[in-house]
Amino acid sequence: MTDRVDNAAALAEVLEFLADPPAPGTPEDVRFGDRLRQVLSASLVDDAVDEDDPVPKPELMLDDDLRGKLAAAAEQRSNRPSDEPPEGNGPSPG
């Protein structure tokens, strides 16, 4: 993962990348993926809480429209072919 930033800064970067996506395989593309995962993770609620605890809230509050856009971007990135073959699927030695 690239240098970690606070969640608000990560969200700001993700919004910039959504407006102008970086080219696949570039350092900016890697940073986009890292920040996207950070933002999506920070927008989730930990369901493993005790009933006596206060109601959990996510670190980042995202509206449904933005969450949908971020989820779609993450899905698109995960479906993108990689330049490297998956482990175990490369050419086999002689």
Side-chain angles (χ1 to χ4, degrees):
M1 180 179 219
T2 58
D3 295 331
R4 183 140 171 104
V5 297
D6 66 59
N7 292 327
L11 178 58
E13 283 190 53
V14 165
L15 294 175
E16 289 177 19
F17 284 131
L18 284 176
D20 185 21
T26 63
E28 292 80 16
D29 184 50
V30 172
R31 192 169 75 231
F32 177 36
D34 289 344
R35 299 297 190 249
L36 184 58
R37 284 187 293 279
Q38 179 181 345
V39 167
L40 288 171
S41 185
S43 71
L44 299 175
V45 174
D46 184 6
D47 291 334
V49 295
D50 189 291
E51 65 183 45
D52 295 330
D53 290 338
V55 176
K57 293 184 180 171
E59 294 178 42
L60 282 176
M61 299 294 289
L62 303 178
D63 65 32
D64 291 339
D65 184 50
L66 180 56
R67 184 184 313 280
K69 287 179 184 176
L70 297 181
E75 179 71 20
Q76 182 180 21
R77 291 179 59 76
S78 69
N79 290 332
R80 198 167 59 192
S82 173
D83 291 340
E84 298 179 20
E87 288 184 34
N89 290 338
S92 51

